[in-house]
Amino acid sequence: MTDQIIRRIWPIAPISLALALITLLMIVVGANPLTVYQALFDGSFGGREQSLSTLAFWVPLLLCSTGLLVTFTAGLWNIGVEGQMIAGSLGASAVALMVAKPNPSIPGWVILPLAIVVAMLSGALWAALAAILKTRGRIHEIFGGVALNNLAAIATIYLISGPWQPPEGGSLRGTVPFPTQALFPLMGTSRFSPLSLILALVALVLVALALRGTFWGLKLKAQGKNLRSAFLLGVPSEREAINAMMVCGALAGLAGAVRVLSWFDSLRQSISGGIGFLAILVVLLAGTRPLWTLLIGLFFSALLNGGTFVHSRVQLHSSLSGLIQGTLVLFVLLLGDYTRIFRRKKTVMEAISDHE
Amino acid sequence: MFNKHKAVLLMLALTLMLLLSACQQAATATTEPVPTEDVVISIPTTPPVIEEPTEAPTEEPTAEPTVEPFIFGMVLVGPKNDHGWSQAHYEAGQYIEENIPGAKMIVFESLNSADKPEATLEGVVSDMVSQGATLIFTTSDEFEEDTTTVAANRPDIIFINASGDDTWDQRPNLAVKPPANLGNVMGRMEDMKAIAGCAAALTTETGSIGYLGPLINDETRRLTASAYLGARYCYDNYREETPGELKFEVSWIGFWFNIPGFTLDPTEVANQLFDGGTDVLISGIDTTEALDVAGQRAEKEEAVLAIPYDYEGACDKAPEVCLGVPFFNWGPSYLKIAQSIKDGTWEQSFEWLGPDWADMTNPDTSHVGWVNGPALTDDVKATLDTFISGLADGSINVWTGPINLQDGTEYIADGVEAPDPLIWYLPQLLEGMTGSSK
């Protein structure tokens, strides 16, 4: 019983340990941890603008994490989520620049859904590439994903320094601002779009339900547990792997659209902002549990948003957030899997019940 | 099966850590050569300094007038200790703090999508405003567009964008009206770059000068071209060489400073230029790689020299190979702006400010300058001084025609002095320069 409880709240352990270590570090460098945490809070939830900014950063993170729930369940390490997000941004930007800009008469309720669909398709196709490399080319999805991430980043640089370069030229900063009808409707002067959050939450609920209560979810789980057995028992593993990757890619693509169509108003270099990698960390920490995914994602978004505030207010280096993040990665890898630490050996039945 | 799983996990762990740290590494890479002192800044002392005066009762019988706090923001594209562009701005902020009682700067370093993917100019500005800032300097071409957007949303805050042209009455797109609370400042660096080019041309043994460029835009084209024009003038007029034989090779890295994975590595590019026969390398980027590389190669007995950029103290990093540095001194112009805002007399303006020819290193009067480096020999120094005094009294203007663009078309006719807009908006590199124009 207590064992159950400990397992449920286990994701807190690495976070608390990391925070304890960071607090110690702050004291060592002569910073007052209370001031810093206060600034972190003020910068993330201290006011309307800060809260909205935290939410705006959270949405694409949530979308990517949701997608990763699918691939992790299927036993796939979709490192390529970052590239799939970039592919989505490129797709959305293409619609904004090549459809919306020359045709200002097309209303937003046509353009925005179109941009979203194209973004999701681009992300899904980019993911399918990694999946096919794996199933047909026997290239592990980690390596395929890393390569495709780089390709997507290079494509961004090419586009903003080439065909989509602003007329004044020169900079690698990004494209010209998109016309407003192509953007998500934003709250006030913030970069937060309630619509994008609704889409993300719907996606999370659907994925959670699908993984839990559908035959498809069961097939993915079986595949994730043991690919060969699942195959022998009749799961079309190649097809399901590609499907899982494409679902994740579509959600990551939507995240990319949110980045260009609400967080920014144009395509920028490093548009993904490392959110895909952060999402991997979130899902690992959450142990593929949807509710924890939601909460931990929000925590990270607050941490990163607060980090910039700490930098300008306390003049403490803003890599503090990066430091906390890095420490977390370390602790998650050390302590992340509760069962692995406390039960070195387990029976098949136990292993199955662990994942119920 | 289980072992394989473990191996994959291990691989993932390594990859993930590598990748996660990749974004942060950009920051580390640019700050690398500098001690990490900025982490140790003690916090508790700063806030009370500004709080005190406001809380002091007004009827206090001291003769000193009550000091009103004046808070301003300084947004930097790179680290504040980069020995280059960003440090020059940071120190201008300190100059305001020294000269206006009660002035306090809020700094935000390394605002660029590689170092701080989670930060936007909008977010940074809103943080600064919530801390009381009424004036915000956005000190990079990178922020030009975002500054305009943010300024339009916050009409009560004054924004100064360094290097931008939004408020210039000679800009091409006059139809686009800038927000009323936006101003621009830029240093007239062109003559200083010409001096740098001249110093390089007077020193080169191989007859080949390299230029380590950032990204390609109007600003970098005109500065690179200015260095070339200065070099050509001095090579043709002061040296016993065949005029026109000077080689001037430009390599661009793709951004203002090194961002691993996004730009070419400036260290590598600098090495390539030296390998290709260049013996004097002029830097156009925000950081000091050109000088660093020259210093390393000089240690291996190579006869190479370099000219850094942006920051008066840039030579410090490898003085023995430093011919000098053309630098910005943003202090006086920023102070004037801050003072006028404090007095309520600020008016929107575009400032393109030159040197104090009588004393180019005067911190209070000269907006740009050139300082000789330790590697400059006395002979060269004397010739360079002739060139500088020619620029000062107007007898030399390197932007005098005939000047042709790189594709051969005539840009400035024979004997004509180029007007400001033609210099500012130079569309290509010039004939005689090697390197891409776009």
Side-chain angles (χ1 to χ4, degrees):
Chain A
M1 196 54 208
T2 44
D3 193 51
Q4 279 290 325
I5 294 171
I6 293 178
R7 195 180 306 155
R8 273 188 192 285
I9 59 168
W10 188 248
I12 294 176
I15 295 185
S16 348
L17 269 172
L19 286 180
L21 189 73
I22 297 293
T23 309
L24 204 70
L25 204 69
M26 284 179 209
I27 295 171
V28 170
V29 300
N32 181 350
L34 284 180
T35 325
V36 175
Y37 286 122
Q38 179 69 40
L40 262 180
F41 180 80
D42 288 350
S44 47
F45 295 110
R48 185 174 179 275
E49 281 176 59
Q50 283 79 22
S51 307
L52 290 181
S53 168
T54 301
L55 289 179
F57 191 77
W58 180 45
V59 169
L61 181 60
L62 186 56
L63 282 164
C64 287
S65 320
T66 306
L68 286 167
L69 286 178
V70 178
T71 47
F72 269 109
T73 305
L76 295 163
W77 295 96
N78 186 13
I79 287 277
V81 64
E82 185 86 2
Q84 291 144 27
M85 199 173 150
I86 298 175
S89 321
L90 298 183
S93 304
V95 172
L97 286 173
M98 296 159 78
V99 181
K101 199 150 178 284
N103 307 296
S105 55
I106 304 180
W109 58 268
V110 177
I111 285 292
L112 184 59
L114 179 67
I116 289 176
V117 168
V118 172
M120 291 179 78
L121 275 176
S122 317
L125 288 176
W126 205 252
L129 265 179
I132 290 167
L133 278 176
K134 180 191 169 70
T135 55
R136 288 293 155 95
R138 296 182 176 236
I139 295 166
H140 197 281
E141 68 271 18
I142 290 181
F143 301 114
V146 169
L148 288 167
N149 286 349
N150 282 332
L151 273 181
I154 291 166
T156 313
I157 298 288
Y158 164 73
L159 286 169
I160 60 183
S161 62
W164 292 349
Q165 196 176 49
E168 71 268 22
S171 176
L172 263 180
R173 180 189 56 240
T175 64
V176 289
F178 299 151
T180 28
Q181 71 266 28
L183 302 180
F184 274 97
L186 298 172
M187 261 181 94
T189 56
S190 78
R191 306 309 308 181
F192 174 64
S193 158
L195 174 66
S196 67
L197 181 59
I198 293 168
L199 289 176
L201 290 175
V202 168
L204 181 70
V205 171
L206 287 179
V207 163
L209 290 178
L211 291 182
R212 234 191 158 154
T214 66
F215 185 54
W216 181 63
L218 190 66
K219 281 193 287 188
L220 288 189
K221 264 187 210 168
Q223 193 167 334
K225 292 277 182 289
N226 191 326
L227 185 63
R228 184 163 299 177
S229 313
F231 179 71
L232 292 175
L233 290 171
V235 176
S237 50
E238 181 179 342
R239 205 176 71 203
E240 289 308 334
I242 296 176
N243 281 347
M245 288 290 276
M246 284 181 77
V247 168
C248 181
L251 291 174
L254 177 55
V258 172
R259 287 288 286 182
V260 284
L261 303 182
S262 71
W263 181 260
F264 295 112
D265 54 2
S266 50
L267 178 66
R268 309 281 174 113
Q269 59 156 327
S270 48
I271 186 73
S272 56
I275 288 179
F277 297 133
L278 189 58
I280 295 175
L281 176 61
V282 168
V283 176
L284 280 181
L285 250 176
T288 67
R289 278 167 291 193
L291 183 65
W292 278 104
T293 304
L294 191 87
L295 294 175
I296 294 173
L298 186 60
F299 170 77
F300 273 109
S301 176
L303 190 67
L304 285 166
N305 267 278
T308 62
F309 201 72
V310 171
H311 177 49
S312 71
R313 183 196 283 190
V314 201
Q315 297 298 301
L316 199 66
H317 206 280
S318 77
S319 58
L320 175 76
S321 298
L323 201 67
I324 299 183
Q325 207 175 308
T327 321
L328 269 171
V329 175
L330 202 66
F331 278 103
V332 169
L333 290 168
L334 286 174
L335 312 174
D337 194 345
Y338 168 76
T339 43
R340 215 159 37 86
I341 296 162
F342 291 97
R343 287 197 231 151
R344 283 259 146 244
K345 297 209 166 115
K346 53 188 173 186
T347 63
V348 174
M349 285 317 289
E350 275 173 333
I352 289 169
S353 69
D354 276 352
H355 288 278
E356 284 303 300
Chain B
M1 209 58 205
F2 202 67
N3 274 337
K4 198 175 164 192
H5 194 77
K6 256 187 178 167
V8 171
L9 192 74
L10 193 70
M11 273 189 313
L12 177 86
L14 288 171
T15 327
L16 193 64
M17 270 153 77
L18 263 174
L19 294 171
L20 274 170
S21 59
C23 322
Q24 267 76 34
Q25 256 167 21
T28 333
T30 45
T31 42
E32 197 173 24
V34 190
T36 53
E37 61 204 353
D38 53 338
V39 185
V40 206
I41 292 169
S42 65
I43 305 109
T45 50
T46 30
V49 177
I50 40 150
E51 298 293 338
E52 244 171 304
T54 35
E55 279 164 19
T58 34
E59 55 270 280
E60 207 172 293
T62 42
E64 254 179 79
T66 342
V67 181
E68 236 181 285
F70 176 74
I71 301 171
F72 64 97
M74 184 68 68
V75 187
L76 306 174
V77 69
K80 68 183 177 205
N81 51 9
D82 64 354
H83 270 73
W85 174 265
S86 290
Q87 186 161 358
H89 288 280
Y90 176 68
E91 294 191 358
Q94 291 180 320
Y95 182 80
I96 298 179
E97 287 184 317
E98 282 159 23
N99 285 286
I100 297 184
K104 183 181 177 284
M105 165 168 60
I106 307 169
V107 191
F108 195 93
E109 294 175 73
S110 301
L111 180 62
N112 62 75
S113 51
D115 282 341
K116 303 241 166 74
E118 71 282 359
T120 56
L121 184 66
E122 224 161 347
V124 171
V125 163
S126 105
D127 283 353
M128 288 176 166
V129 171
S130 74
Q131 292 174 69
T134 51
L135 158 68
I136 290 172
F137 295 97
T138 63
T139 63
S140 173
D141 161 72
E142 283 304 292
F143 308 144
E144 188 176 0
E145 280 190 4
D146 286 345
T147 305
T148 313
T149 318
V150 177
N153 288 339
R154 294 181 181 275
D156 48 334
I157 308 291
I158 288 165
F159 291 86
I160 303 297
N161 176 246
S163 82
D165 65 341
D166 294 279
T167 60
W168 196 17
D169 55 12
Q170 307 208 45
R171 68 186 185 277
N173 51 345
L174 278 171
V176 183
K177 294 266 178 284
N181 54 331
L182 173 70
N184 292 120
V185 181
M186 184 58 183
R188 234 175 235 275
M189 181 50 69
E190 288 65 25
D191 282 344
M192 304 302 117
K193 281 285 187 182
I195 298 171
C198 178
L202 294 176
T203 320
T204 177
E205 297 290 326
T206 60
S208 168
I209 297 173
Y211 194 98
L212 182 65
L215 46 85
I216 312 174
N217 66 9
D218 292 334
E219 175 189 331
T220 61
R221 275 194 294 262
R222 72 170 179 266
L223 294 179
T224 312
S226 300
Y228 168 71
L229 290 173
R232 191 177 72 176
Y233 183 93
C234 292
Y235 199 76
D236 294 354
N237 289 288
Y238 300 137
R239 287 191 65 157
E240 319 263 304
E241 313 278 345
T242 326
E245 270 193 358
L246 180 72
K247 275 195 247 159
F248 195 96
E249 193 178 351
V250 186
S251 280
W252 309 98
I253 65 164
F255 193 65
W256 300 106
F257 46 80
N258 184 27
I259 298 180
F262 285 95
T263 62
L264 298 179
D265 181 352
T267 305
E268 212 166 283
V269 175
N271 273 314
Q272 277 165 6
L273 283 166
F274 282 129
D275 290 343
T278 284
D279 63 345
V280 184
L281 183 56
I282 304 174
S283 170
I285 66 173
D286 284 11
T287 46
T288 57
E289 281 87 349
L291 186 66
D292 300 340
V293 169
Q296 286 155 11
R297 293 178 80 111
E299 273 173 23
K300 294 179 206 145
E301 309 291 315
E302 273 184 61
V304 293
L305 296 160
I307 300 175
Y309 176 41
D310 287 323
Y311 176 63
E312 195 175 353
C315 275
D316 295 353
K317 299 199 73 187
E320 69 287 356
V321 293
C322 189
L323 284 177
V325 56
F327 63 91
F328 289 99
N329 178 31
W330 304 93
S333 55
Y334 282 10
L335 177 64
K336 201 177 130 218
I337 289 166
Q339 192 62 53
S340 72
I341 289 169
K342 210 165 175 274
D343 300 343
T345 57
W346 181 81
E347 275 176 40
Q348 179 170 68
S349 68
F350 168 87
E351 314 266 353
W352 194 11
L353 303 162
D356 175 355
W357 285 110
D359 182 3
M360 284 195 293
T361 54
N362 187 324
D364 302 315
T365 56
S366 197
H367 302 285
V368 291
W370 161 269
V371 273
N372 289 336
L376 211 59
T377 61
D378 287 340
D379 284 355
V380 173
K381 215 178 278 179
T383 318
L384 194 62
D385 282 342
T386 317
F387 179 69
I388 293 173
S389 53
L391 290 174
D393 63 25
S395 59
I396 301 175
N397 178 353
V398 295
W399 279 95
T400 307
I403 296 174
N404 290 349
L405 295 178
Q406 202 176 31
D407 64 9
T409 50
E410 186 186 78
Y411 191 59
I412 308 292
D414 198 356
V416 176
E417 295 195 353
D420 279 353
L422 288 189
I423 297 177
W424 184 282
Y425 300 109
L426 183 67
Q428 287 176 30
L429 295 183
L430 304 178
E431 202 173 55
M433 303 169 79
T434 322
S436 32
S437 274
K438 278 189 191 298

